Amino acid sequence: MTSTQNTDKTDVPDMIVMLTTIEEQYGPICDHCLGRLVAKRSCGLSNDERGRAIRIYAVLVNDTHYKGSPKDCWICGDLFDTADNWAEKICHALEHIECHTFLMGSRTPPLMNEAEEMLWTDFELYSPEPIKSEINREFGKAVSKRSDLLVDFKTPDVVVLVDLVTDGIDVQIRSLFLSGRYLKLERGIPQTHWHCRSCQGKGCEVCNGTGKQYADSVEELIGAPILVMTKGTHVTLHGAGREDIDALMLGTGRPFILEIHNPLIRTVDLQEIEKAVNEAGAGRVQITELSLSQRSEVETLKSHKGHKRYRILVDIDGVVSEEELQRSLNELQNATIHQRTPQRVSHRRADKVRKRTVLEITLLGKKNREYEISVLGEAGLYIKELISGDEGRTNPSLSNLLGKQARVTELDVVYVEGM
């Protein structure tokens, strides 16, 4: 065996003594568990090969008959003899799940772990391998041999957990991620599912037993057809910001990533998905630019601080001329706005003052007695409060500059800067 740094204090003769002592004082030990005690002292061999080499050397030194690896190993109970049986059970558990890569995991009985750790301490071993590592490796090899699945340590399609305590198998399916842009064409739809405020999702008279505050959401309207096509359990929509429930999302749409949890089908036709979503959500929600994504892009999406353009209708108390309004808008152009967390979101946002810039604000015209205005602002600029002042919590504001109360009666998001 090739020695490495930080090796055990034992040399090969000591290993023979260790083997004899273990079998005399503890009980029979299989080649896997024996070889695992010195696993990090050599490379190129499996643990059962290491154990067999120690056992054969002991036979040669003691001039005895080689009897092979004993049965009823006091550490693992001959667990590694069952690897093929476990592989068959695992492959059966994965039959209805589309997956190409996997990663093995295991839960071992406490007594099994304590047994091998007892030897580490008693023999002052510094280079053993934990039994979990060998179980994961050997069972994984057995699964690969019976299937076309490949081991992937970074982003496996499934993680298979063998529970040796309950004799069960738990399969964790990696989420599928799709990115795109959505348009919201109907007011009154929140971006994501909201639990009923009265029952917190349990179902009550207020929500007619649905457990929902609103009948639909962008998340559900996009997700429902996709769940049918991927056979997932549920979806989570991650958006690049969110529009108010009473606002439309127009223009090129808002960037989003949809996470499909526990998909049984991973290979999807993106054009077919886009078509199915747009047909189901016609007149309400539409999606474009659909593509495959991954979990790492969710954080990038949420941390992106893109500019946003809004088209709003503003109602102003009293009489105001267009010239007077234009002067106030000119003062807001490129102004730094100090906004304390608005009252309408103070229940879910930290109470602090944020500084945001109005990059562009333009009077588009007049509709009846209301004014149509275009606003391009930094990400995080509260538009309704920019107009109303929110009882002095936003400064400067259009209301403050006019000296008359102004309010947004209609708001549409018409542009969200992409990543």
Side-chain angles (χ1 to χ4, degrees):
M1 298 183 183
T2 303
S3 296
T4 60
Q5 292 183 340
N6 299 322
T7 59
D8 296 336
K9 295 180 179 179
T10 54
D11 54 20
V12 174
D14 290 333
M15 293 179 194
I16 298 173
V17 174
M18 179 176 68
L19 169 60
T20 303
T21 304
I22 290 173
E23 295 194 326
E24 288 180 353
Q25 298 184 10
Y26 298 89
I29 183 170
C30 69
D31 288 345
H32 283 274
C33 292
L34 176 60
R36 201 168 55 252
L37 297 177
V38 293
K40 298 179 182 178
R41 294 190 60 177
S42 66
C43 59
L45 296 176
S46 62
N47 285 329
D48 61 325
E49 289 172 335
R50 292 187 183 94
R52 187 160 56 251
I54 294 171
R55 202 178 300 278
I56 291 174
Y57 189 80
V59 167
L60 295 174
V61 170
N62 297 320
D63 193 23
T64 57
H65 180 65
Y66 176 65
K67 299 179 181 179
S69 182
K71 295 298 181 181
D72 299 322
C73 174
W74 78 281
I75 294 180
C76 73
D78 303 333
L79 172 66
F80 295 97
D81 291 344
T82 68
D84 286 337
N85 293 334
W86 276 104
E88 183 178 0
K89 291 170 64 176
I90 290 167
C91 290
H92 179 71
L94 299 178
E95 279 182 350
H96 303 295
I97 303 172
E98 181 191 349
C99 53
H100 308 286
T101 59
F102 77 108
L103 184 63
M104 281 297 309
S106 58
R107 181 186 176 206
T108 51
L111 288 177
M112 189 180 291
N113 300 325
E114 292 171 8
E116 70 168 3
E117 290 170 7
M118 183 189 305
L119 294 184
W120 298 353
T121 301
D122 290 353
F123 291 94
E124 299 183 14
L125 301 177
Y126 299 96
S127 57
E129 178 184 37
I131 191 169
K132 270 192 175 186
S133 298
E134 187 173 14
I135 292 171
N136 297 344
R137 182 174 59 254
E138 294 302 317
F139 282 27
K141 285 162 61 176
V143 170
S144 292
K145 188 176 180 180
R146 295 183 66 94
S147 67
D148 296 328
L149 294 174
L150 300 175
V151 173
D152 186 334
F153 292 100
K154 293 184 178 180
T155 55
D157 293 337
V158 295
V159 174
V160 180
L161 179 67
V162 171
D163 192 331
L164 299 172
V165 177
T166 64
D167 274 346
I169 295 174
D170 179 39
V171 178
Q172 301 168 6
I173 306 174
R174 180 168 58 88
S175 294
L176 180 64
F177 294 86
L178 302 177
S179 67
R181 285 176 172 264
Y182 75 79
L183 289 83
K184 191 177 84 176
L185 310 175
E186 180 181 309
R187 302 186 196 280
I189 304 176
Q191 185 187 74
T192 55
H193 171 95
W194 283 24
H195 286 313
C196 170
R197 294 192 185 97
S198 298
C199 66
Q200 299 303 312
K202 296 178 181 178
C204 63
E205 292 182 1
V206 174
C207 63
N208 294 320
T210 65
K212 301 196 296 185
Q213 186 69 25
Y214 300 95
D216 292 309
S217 65
V218 174
E219 179 179 70
E220 292 165 294
L221 291 170
I222 294 175
I226 296 178
L227 285 178
V228 172
M229 301 175 79
T230 61
K231 296 185 178 180
T233 55
H234 59 289
V235 300
T236 300
L237 187 141
H238 308 281
R242 62 174 64 225
E243 66 282 341
D244 291 338
I245 188 172
D246 59 350
L248 300 181
M249 180 64 244
L250 304 175
T252 56
R254 184 181 297 278
F256 74 90
I257 294 176
L258 189 75
E259 179 177 359
I260 301 105
H261 299 269
N262 306 309
L264 300 184
I265 298 174
R266 304 192 74 84
T267 303
V268 293
D269 185 320
L270 297 177
Q271 291 184 337
E272 285 298 317
I273 285 183
E274 195 169 304
K275 179 181 177 183
V277 171
N278 290 341
E279 286 180 354
R284 307 185 76 194
V285 169
Q286 302 284 278
I287 61 172
T288 62
E289 301 179 21
L290 202 62
S291 64
L292 293 174
S293 185
Q294 53 192 348
R295 184 177 298 279
S296 60
E297 294 180 354
V298 173
E299 185 58 36
T300 302
L301 176 80
K302 288 188 169 294
S303 61
H304 178 65
K305 304 299 182 184
H307 302 329
K308 298 176 177 66
R309 184 179 294 278
Y310 304 83
R311 185 172 62 236
I312 57 178
L313 285 180
V314 176
D315 179 49
I316 303 172
D317 289 347
V319 179
V320 61
S321 66
E322 288 194 16
E323 293 76 13
E324 185 181 2
L325 175 58
Q326 188 61 65
R327 282 196 300 270
S328 297
L329 295 180
N330 289 343
E331 290 191 56
L332 289 176
Q333 179 82 24
N334 297 319
T336 298
I337 311 299
H338 295 74
Q339 293 191 306
R340 185 178 173 187
T341 301
Q343 298 178 70
R344 63 188 173 93
V345 298
S346 59
H347 62 286
R348 66 175 190 270
R349 298 281 175 86
D351 187 11
K352 62 181 183 180
V353 176
R354 298 168 177 82
K355 295 181 181 180
R356 297 293 186 268
T357 302
V358 177
L359 302 172
E360 180 184 301
I361 186 164
T362 307
L363 177 61
L364 300 178
K366 193 173 184 180
K367 288 187 176 181
N368 298 323
R369 63 180 305 275
E370 296 179 326
Y371 292 93
E372 186 175 17
I373 296 173
S374 172
V375 183
L376 177 66
E378 274 189 288
L381 177 66
Y382 291 104
I383 300 301
K384 291 178 179 178
E385 286 68 28
L386 174 69
I387 302 304
S388 71
D390 196 24
E391 298 182 1
R393 295 165 74 94
T394 288
N395 188 50
S397 68
L398 183 61
S399 293
N400 173 261
L401 294 172
L402 285 172
K404 299 175 182 178
Q405 186 60 50
R407 66 194 64 82
V408 173
T409 60
E410 191 173 282
L411 182 150
D412 300 330
V413 186
V414 295
Y415 171 74
V416 177
E417 186 178 41
M419 292 186 294

